Amino acid sequence: MLISRRIARVALALGFASCAGAGLSANALAQDKLVRVWHTETEPQTIKAFNDIARRFEAKNPGVKIEAEGLAWGDLEGKIMASLAAGAPPELSHGQPITCTALQAKGLLNPLDEVVKAIGEANIWDQVKRVCNVDGKQYGLVHAAGTSLLIYRKDMAAKANLKPPKTWADLLANAKALTQDTNNDGKIDIYGITVPGDNLFINIMLGELIKANGGTLFDKANKPQLTDKRMIETLEFWRELVKYAPPGWEGHGYLQTFQNLHGQKAAMMFQGYGRGAGMIEKFAPKEMANDKTFDVWIKPHGPSGSAPAAQVDEEPWMLFKASKNQKEAIEFLKFFYQDDNYLEYVSTVPIHLFPITKSLRNSAKYQNVEMIQRWKGWIEVQQGYLDKDQGKPTLVVDWADMTEKPYLMEVLGSGILRDMVMDVVVEKMEPQRAAEKAQKRLEDLMRSKGYLKG
Amino acid sequence: MPPTNAKGTDAGPTALAQTGLARPRPLRLSEQATGLLLVLPAVLLLLALTIYPVVYGAWISTFNKHSFFPEQTFVGLGNYTYVLTDPEFWNSVRLGAIYAVASIVLQIGLGVAAALVVNETFPGRNIVRSILIFPYVIPTVVAVILWKWLLNSQFGLINYLLEDAGLIDRPISWMGKDWIMVSLVLVSVWQFFPFVVLGVLARLQSIPGELYEAAAIDGANALQRFVHVTLPQLQAVLFIVILLRSIWMFTKFDTPWLMILGGGAETYIRTLPVYTYQRTFAYYEAGIGAAMAVLMFLMLAVATAIYFRLFRHEEAL
């Protein structure tokens, strides 16, 4: 067979030309210093505010480009890990606090102390400074904090003459009282409480409940404590609580629990957040979309506990060691936390995104944000959790867990805790048996990861 | 035709030499070499994109390896021993089999029925055919979001219609424990039965009309014509369709995964591909995940071999 040499030469030349072209365009792109940012705030108004801040930063810093991407919680961890494995992480990313400590333990992060210094260390709330702080260095800096909330129908509670629940037993009584057949047709129209059934939120709730019952998930030697009496009590409580939840609650994700609340299918929401105020204003009937109808109670404690516990949604910014433009990323964060920029950001979801700086939180500009005026009670309860140190990140029962238990991320991902809860509340397995089953699985996992000996 | 110069005269070797232009020398390749050269890109792609990942996966399955970090320890067949004694693994095989069998049976039933209908002549047939293909061409993520909205237990249209028609007296929790597998099968059947329609319809259109005429002359009614003429003619295409759909449904990841994302009683549709993904990307156990993938591959290979043996005749067709 004959192939013209001229054709071969042309093909070769085209090949070289395309390679050179690709190289040239890569060079052209490289003229800007690119700071890639991954964050978990996906509401359109927050994305817009963040992008506006980024554009202003770019205008003040020619030659630097901020490329921000909003990602759902569930997608983030896997994406971070894949980018690290590929050796191409973004400069900055949000992550779960336990992800931050896991990555710090592997030496993959650089501290953000320069940003802390620029904000003023004394200007940052103590609770926030405890997140991903290792040996006095701040490896993760929270973008904004918001605690979980027990949201309830104030109008219905008043009608039923219910008091704020102090203990789990009180909460069960309230849930029972609020489970109502409102039109007397023999069918329940509104259920007492809505709880989530997906892995992340069951883990969040379990962490909260075990703390509120004075228990823990692991001992000092990393041995799981799932068969402990306080865990068994927690599982028993959960089993009772879902009797007052809408049927099929195990299939309800975070957003559907909100739908149940503002759609008047449930009278309480155990794993609510300040973000819900915005959803209520948007989706509930106009005459109900206020804090006279939807208010928050302080969460109750368990029979072996003495104080409430809440989860704090506070993803920290992380700066990756393997990223290219770290200096620019630090400068961007300093700019982000400047009062005017930061106010613009937190004001997009004001009842959920608590500013980490005292200066902003105490400022008139922040206090006068309209929505904060409308939902003051919700803010006060969150402030109370934070001030009394009753709020912790997901699965963190004690602050020492942040640094001493770098495996919590794997525990969360494994779904073992979720399976244990489901075994009890859906499969009707005895709590002791379900706990023993999960204990064995968790011990196997811990051993395979080298965290548990023997 | 010999090349000519600008004046239109013969530009043979001498003329070219006179003008200083050398005639390009042809590159001589044997037919065998040309053949190899032509298949080389395909072979390279196959090696890089199929063979290498499979071999690498099998190799990784002998290590206790973190999914993203370079930590790894050789464990030989330890991962296989672990997986084969893991009740969750067998539960996921069971759920995967239920999902695959139920959805394939319904896809075939619905697909063949729909193909028979649109093979007939009626006004608007082309529009109906186009509409039938629609579920197959929309992205899975769109299909699942759409169905999750329709099946929402509190506010979904399906429950509303069922309640309105008096068929149920309280909303069905489609994403809860008791119904999520049904919902998953429903979504999958809706999305993939058009594939069966396409395959079967193509074959139906090529069945000679004389066969039906002969059967009619012999007094065969519609059912008898279907059983004795149509079905035998469809055997070969159904053989392939069932084989492909079985492989695809047993390894289906996106539909069940999207069904449980953001809510959905995950435990009850945690099929083998979903569980494999979780072991790899949530537990970060690449070794165990790879061992599960290898086992899944072996299961499919064995099932395919059995299928070929059972239906040797259709294979020959």
PDB file of all heavy atoms in Angstrom, chain A residues 83-109:
ATOM      1  N   SER A  83      -8.945  15.433  43.835  1.00  0.00           N
ATOM      2  CA  SER A  83      -8.022  16.476  43.386  1.00  0.00           C
ATOM      3  C   SER A  83      -6.661  16.332  44.071  1.00  0.00           C
ATOM      4  O   SER A  83      -5.618  16.556  43.477  1.00  0.00           O
ATOM      5  CB  SER A  83      -8.606  17.867  43.653  1.00  0.00           C
ATOM      6  OG  SER A  83      -8.570  18.158  45.038  1.00  0.00           O
ATOM      7  N   LEU A  84      -6.690  15.914  45.334  1.00  0.00           N
ATOM      8  CA  LEU A  84      -5.425  15.705  46.052  1.00  0.00           C
ATOM      9  C   LEU A  84      -4.658  14.532  45.444  1.00  0.00           C
ATOM     10  O   LEU A  84      -3.440  14.591  45.268  1.00  0.00           O
ATOM     11  CB  LEU A  84      -5.696  15.440  47.541  1.00  0.00           C
ATOM     12  CG  LEU A  84      -6.096  16.674  48.351  1.00  0.00           C
ATOM     13  CD1 LEU A  84      -6.662  16.269  49.701  1.00  0.00           C
ATOM     14  CD2 LEU A  84      -4.884  17.600  48.543  1.00  0.00           C
ATOM     15  N   ALA A  85      -5.399  13.464  45.128  1.00  0.00           N
ATOM     16  CA  ALA A  85      -4.752  12.290  44.539  1.00  0.00           C
ATOM     17  C   ALA A  85      -4.143  12.645  43.182  1.00  0.00           C
ATOM     18  O   ALA A  85      -3.095  12.130  42.811  1.00  0.00           O
ATOM     19  CB  ALA A  85      -5.757  11.163  44.388  1.00  0.00           C
ATOM     20  N   ALA A  86      -4.815  13.551  42.468  1.00  0.00           N
ATOM     21  CA  ALA A  86      -4.309  13.949  41.148  1.00  0.00           C
ATOM     22  C   ALA A  86      -3.209  14.999  41.264  1.00  0.00           C
ATOM     23  O   ALA A  86      -2.616  15.390  40.263  1.00  0.00           O
ATOM     24  CB  ALA A  86      -5.461  14.484  40.312  1.00  0.00           C
ATOM     25  N   GLY A  87      -2.957  15.466  42.476  1.00  0.00           N
ATOM     26  CA  GLY A  87      -1.916  16.477  42.680  1.00  0.00           C
ATOM     27  C   GLY A  87      -2.338  17.847  42.199  1.00  0.00           C
ATOM     28  O   GLY A  87      -1.485  18.692  41.939  1.00  0.00           O
ATOM     29  N   ALA A  88      -3.634  18.075  42.072  1.00  0.00           N
ATOM     30  CA  ALA A  88      -4.108  19.373  41.582  1.00  0.00           C
ATOM     31  C   ALA A  88      -5.259  19.898  42.425  1.00  0.00           C
ATOM     32  O   ALA A  88      -6.352  20.120  41.902  1.00  0.00           O
ATOM     33  CB  ALA A  88      -4.524  19.245  40.131  1.00  0.00           C
ATOM     34  N   PRO A  89      -5.034  20.096  43.740  1.00  0.00           N
ATOM     35  CA  PRO A  89      -6.146  20.609  44.548  1.00  0.00           C
ATOM     36  C   PRO A  89      -6.391  22.085  44.251  1.00  0.00           C
ATOM     37  O   PRO A  89      -5.513  22.766  43.711  1.00  0.00           O
ATOM     38  CB  PRO A  89      -5.628  20.416  45.978  1.00  0.00           C
ATOM     39  CG  PRO A  89      -4.152  20.524  45.856  1.00  0.00           C
ATOM     40  CD  PRO A  89      -3.803  19.954  44.497  1.00  0.00           C
ATOM     41  N   PRO A  90      -7.568  22.590  44.613  1.00  0.00           N
ATOM     42  CA  PRO A  90      -7.776  24.035  44.479  1.00  0.00           C
ATOM     43  C   PRO A  90      -6.932  24.737  45.541  1.00  0.00           C
ATOM     44  O   PRO A  90      -6.417  24.083  46.452  1.00  0.00           O
ATOM     45  CB  PRO A  90      -9.266  24.182  44.781  1.00  0.00           C
ATOM     46  CG  PRO A  90      -9.558  23.057  45.710  1.00  0.00           C
ATOM     47  CD  PRO A  90      -8.686  21.927  45.277  1.00  0.00           C
ATOM     48  N   GLU A  91      -6.849  26.057  45.414  1.00  0.00           N
ATOM     49  CA  GLU A  91      -6.114  26.777  46.454  1.00  0.00           C
ATOM     50  C   GLU A  91      -6.898  26.713  47.764  1.00  0.00           C
ATOM     51  O   GLU A  91      -6.344  26.436  48.828  1.00  0.00           O
ATOM     52  CB  GLU A  91      -5.903  28.247  46.031  1.00  0.00           C
ATOM     53  CG  GLU A  91      -4.660  28.502  45.209  1.00  0.00           C
ATOM     54  CD  GLU A  91      -4.728  27.852  43.821  1.00  0.00           C
ATOM     55  OE1 GLU A  91      -5.827  27.519  43.350  1.00  0.00           O
ATOM     56  OE2 GLU A  91      -3.656  27.670  43.222  1.00  0.00           O
ATOM     57  N   LEU A  92      -8.204  26.996  47.668  1.00  0.00           N
ATOM     58  CA  LEU A  92      -9.046  27.059  48.863  1.00  0.00           C
ATOM     59  C   LEU A  92     -10.276  26.182  48.695  1.00  0.00           C
ATOM     60  O   LEU A  92     -10.837  26.104  47.609  1.00  0.00           O
ATOM     61  CB  LEU A  92      -9.530  28.500  49.097  1.00  0.00           C
ATOM     62  CG  LEU A  92      -8.489  29.553  49.434  1.00  0.00           C
ATOM     63  CD1 LEU A  92      -9.100  30.946  49.326  1.00  0.00           C
ATOM     64  CD2 LEU A  92      -7.927  29.333  50.841  1.00  0.00           C
ATOM     65  N   SER A  93     -10.675  25.568  49.785  1.00  0.00           N
ATOM     66  CA  SER A  93     -11.937  24.827  49.734  1.00  0.00           C
ATOM     67  C   SER A  93     -12.570  24.783  51.112  1.00  0.00           C
ATOM     68  O   SER A  93     -11.869  24.791  52.128  1.00  0.00           O
ATOM     69  CB  SER A  93     -11.684  23.400  49.240  1.00  0.00           C
ATOM     70  OG  SER A  93     -12.888  22.668  49.280  1.00  0.00           O
ATOM     71  N   HIS A  94     -13.901  24.731  51.115  1.00  0.00           N
ATOM     72  CA  HIS A  94     -14.599  24.385  52.345  1.00  0.00           C
ATOM     73  C   HIS A  94     -14.446  22.889  52.561  1.00  0.00           C
ATOM     74  O   HIS A  94     -14.105  22.146  51.636  1.00  0.00           O
ATOM     75  CB  HIS A  94     -16.107  24.655  52.202  1.00  0.00           C
ATOM     76  CG  HIS A  94     -16.487  26.092  52.294  1.00  0.00           C
ATOM     77  ND1 HIS A  94     -17.772  26.517  52.135  1.00  0.00           N
ATOM     78  CD2 HIS A  94     -15.752  27.197  52.547  1.00  0.00           C
ATOM     79  CE1 HIS A  94     -17.833  27.829  52.268  1.00  0.00           C
ATOM     80  NE2 HIS A  94     -16.620  28.265  52.504  1.00  0.00           N
ATOM     81  N   GLY A  95     -14.743  22.436  53.750  1.00  0.00           N
ATOM     82  CA  GLY A  95     -14.769  21.008  54.045  1.00  0.00           C
ATOM     83  C   GLY A  95     -15.393  20.839  55.404  1.00  0.00           C
ATOM     84  O   GLY A  95     -15.534  21.809  56.161  1.00  0.00           O
ATOM     85  N   GLN A  96     -15.796  19.630  55.736  1.00  0.00           N
ATOM     86  CA  GLN A  96     -16.268  19.379  57.101  1.00  0.00           C
ATOM     87  C   GLN A  96     -15.084  19.625  58.051  1.00  0.00           C
ATOM     88  O   GLN A  96     -13.941  19.335  57.679  1.00  0.00           O
ATOM     89  CB  GLN A  96     -16.711  17.920  57.237  1.00  0.00           C
ATOM     90  CG  GLN A  96     -17.943  17.555  56.460  1.00  0.00           C
ATOM     91  CD  GLN A  96     -19.220  17.839  57.227  1.00  0.00           C
ATOM     92  OE1 GLN A  96     -19.178  18.280  58.376  1.00  0.00           O
ATOM     93  NE2 GLN A  96     -20.336  17.628  56.599  1.00  0.00           N
ATOM     94  N   PRO A  97     -15.335  20.127  59.263  1.00  0.00           N
ATOM     95  CA  PRO A  97     -14.230  20.285  60.214  1.00  0.00           C
ATOM     96  C   PRO A  97     -13.422  18.988  60.385  1.00  0.00           C
ATOM     97  O   PRO A  97     -12.199  19.024  60.479  1.00  0.00           O
ATOM     98  CB  PRO A  97     -14.944  20.676  61.505  1.00  0.00           C
ATOM     99  CG  PRO A  97     -16.155  21.408  61.036  1.00  0.00           C
ATOM    100  CD  PRO A  97     -16.598  20.684  59.793  1.00  0.00           C
ATOM    101  N   ILE A  98     -14.130  17.828  60.387  1.00  0.00           N
ATOM    102  CA  ILE A  98     -13.388  16.574  60.571  1.00  0.00           C
ATOM    103  C   ILE A  98     -12.571  16.221  59.320  1.00  0.00           C
ATOM    104  O   ILE A  98     -11.581  15.519  59.409  1.00  0.00           O
ATOM    105  CB  ILE A  98     -14.333  15.399  60.959  1.00  0.00           C
ATOM    106  CG1 ILE A  98     -15.492  15.252  59.982  1.00  0.00           C
ATOM    107  CG2 ILE A  98     -14.830  15.573  62.381  1.00  0.00           C
ATOM    108  CD1 ILE A  98     -16.418  14.074  60.285  1.00  0.00           C
ATOM    109  N   THR A  99     -12.979  16.728  58.174  1.00  0.00           N
ATOM    110  CA  THR A  99     -12.163  16.544  56.971  1.00  0.00           C
ATOM    111  C   THR A  99     -10.885  17.367  57.105  1.00  0.00           C
ATOM    112  O   THR A  99      -9.794  16.912  56.762  1.00  0.00           O
ATOM    113  CB  THR A  99     -12.936  17.024  55.712  1.00  0.00           C
ATOM    114  OG1 THR A  99     -14.190  16.374  55.683  1.00  0.00           O
ATOM    115  CG2 THR A  99     -12.177  16.740  54.446  1.00  0.00           C
ATOM    116  N   CYS A 100     -11.063  18.563  57.628  1.00  0.00           N
ATOM    117  CA  CYS A 100      -9.923  19.465  57.798  1.00  0.00           C
ATOM    118  C   CYS A 100      -8.859  18.821  58.684  1.00  0.00           C
ATOM    119  O   CYS A 100      -7.676  18.793  58.340  1.00  0.00           O
ATOM    120  CB  CYS A 100     -10.405  20.792  58.394  1.00  0.00           C
ATOM    121  SG  CYS A 100      -9.119  22.029  58.581  1.00  0.00           S
ATOM    122  N   THR A 101      -9.287  18.248  59.820  1.00  0.00           N
ATOM    123  CA  THR A 101      -8.286  17.655  60.717  1.00  0.00           C
ATOM    124  C   THR A 101      -7.675  16.397  60.090  1.00  0.00           C
ATOM    125  O   THR A 101      -6.485  16.135  60.281  1.00  0.00           O
ATOM    126  CB  THR A 101      -8.890  17.306  62.088  1.00  0.00           C
ATOM    127  OG1 THR A 101     -10.130  16.653  61.899  1.00  0.00           O
ATOM    128  CG2 THR A 101      -9.090  18.528  62.938  1.00  0.00           C
ATOM    129  N   ALA A 102      -8.492  15.653  59.328  1.00  0.00           N
ATOM    130  CA  ALA A 102      -7.943  14.450  58.673  1.00  0.00           C
ATOM    131  C   ALA A 102      -6.870  14.841  57.662  1.00  0.00           C
ATOM    132  O   ALA A 102      -5.811  14.217  57.596  1.00  0.00           O
ATOM    133  CB  ALA A 102      -9.064  13.679  57.981  1.00  0.00           C
ATOM    134  N   LEU A 103      -7.128  15.890  56.913  1.00  0.00           N
ATOM    135  CA  LEU A 103      -6.151  16.314  55.900  1.00  0.00           C
ATOM    136  C   LEU A 103      -4.928  16.954  56.550  1.00  0.00           C
ATOM    137  O   LEU A 103      -3.800  16.777  56.091  1.00  0.00           O
ATOM    138  CB  LEU A 103      -6.802  17.294  54.916  1.00  0.00           C
ATOM    139  CG  LEU A 103      -7.970  16.723  54.097  1.00  0.00           C
ATOM    140  CD1 LEU A 103      -8.533  17.766  53.139  1.00  0.00           C
ATOM    141  CD2 LEU A 103      -7.537  15.488  53.317  1.00  0.00           C
ATOM    142  N   GLN A 104      -5.173  17.687  57.645  1.00  0.00           N
ATOM    143  CA  GLN A 104      -4.039  18.287  58.363  1.00  0.00           C
ATOM    144  C   GLN A 104      -3.126  17.182  58.906  1.00  0.00           C
ATOM    145  O   GLN A 104      -1.899  17.272  58.813  1.00  0.00           O
ATOM    146  CB  GLN A 104      -4.589  19.169  59.499  1.00  0.00           C
ATOM    147  CG  GLN A 104      -3.539  20.007  60.193  1.00  0.00           C
ATOM    148  CD  GLN A 104      -2.708  19.210  61.191  1.00  0.00           C
ATOM    149  OE1 GLN A 104      -3.218  18.282  61.808  1.00  0.00           O
ATOM    150  NE2 GLN A 104      -1.436  19.580  61.341  1.00  0.00           N
ATOM    151  N   ALA A 105      -3.745  16.113  59.429  1.00  0.00           N
ATOM    152  CA  ALA A 105      -2.950  15.013  60.003  1.00  0.00           C
ATOM    153  C   ALA A 105      -2.078  14.362  58.935  1.00  0.00           C
ATOM    154  O   ALA A 105      -1.031  13.797  59.253  1.00  0.00           O
ATOM    155  CB  ALA A 105      -3.888  13.974  60.626  1.00  0.00           C
ATOM    156  N   LYS A 106      -2.494  14.451  57.689  1.00  0.00           N
ATOM    157  CA  LYS A 106      -1.695  13.876  56.611  1.00  0.00           C
ATOM    158  C   LYS A 106      -0.731  14.903  56.009  1.00  0.00           C
ATOM    159  O   LYS A 106      -0.085  14.633  54.979  1.00  0.00           O
ATOM    160  CB  LYS A 106      -2.621  13.326  55.522  1.00  0.00           C
ATOM    161  CG  LYS A 106      -3.407  12.095  55.982  1.00  0.00           C
ATOM    162  CD  LYS A 106      -4.097  11.391  54.857  1.00  0.00           C
ATOM    163  CE  LYS A 106      -4.953  10.248  55.370  1.00  0.00           C
ATOM    164  NZ  LYS A 106      -4.188   9.151  55.973  1.00  0.00           N
ATOM    165  N   GLY A 107      -0.683  16.074  56.612  1.00  0.00           N
ATOM    166  CA  GLY A 107       0.269  17.092  56.172  1.00  0.00           C
ATOM    167  C   GLY A 107      -0.081  17.731  54.838  1.00  0.00           C
ATOM    168  O   GLY A 107       0.806  18.148  54.095  1.00  0.00           O
ATOM    169  N   LEU A 108      -1.372  17.830  54.543  1.00  0.00           N
ATOM    170  CA  LEU A 108      -1.767  18.337  53.223  1.00  0.00           C
ATOM    171  C   LEU A 108      -2.196  19.805  53.240  1.00  0.00           C
ATOM    172  O   LEU A 108      -2.500  20.366  52.190  1.00  0.00           O
ATOM    173  CB  LEU A 108      -2.924  17.487  52.682  1.00  0.00           C
ATOM    174  CG  LEU A 108      -2.566  16.017  52.424  1.00  0.00           C
ATOM    175  CD1 LEU A 108      -3.817  15.171  52.251  1.00  0.00           C
ATOM    176  CD2 LEU A 108      -1.683  15.904  51.198  1.00  0.00           C
ATOM    177  N   LEU A 109      -2.257  20.381  54.437  1.00  0.00           N
ATOM    178  CA  LEU A 109      -2.748  21.766  54.534  1.00  0.00           C
ATOM    179  C   LEU A 109      -1.668  22.715  55.043  1.00  0.00           C
ATOM    180  O   LEU A 109      -0.759  22.304  55.779  1.00  0.00           O
ATOM    181  CB  LEU A 109      -3.954  21.823  55.486  1.00  0.00           C
ATOM    182  CG  LEU A 109      -5.150  20.945  55.141  1.00  0.00           C
ATOM    183  CD1 LEU A 109      -6.230  21.108  56.213  1.00  0.00           C
ATOM    184  CD2 LEU A 109      -5.711  21.284  53.770  1.00  0.00           C
TER     185      LEU A 109
END
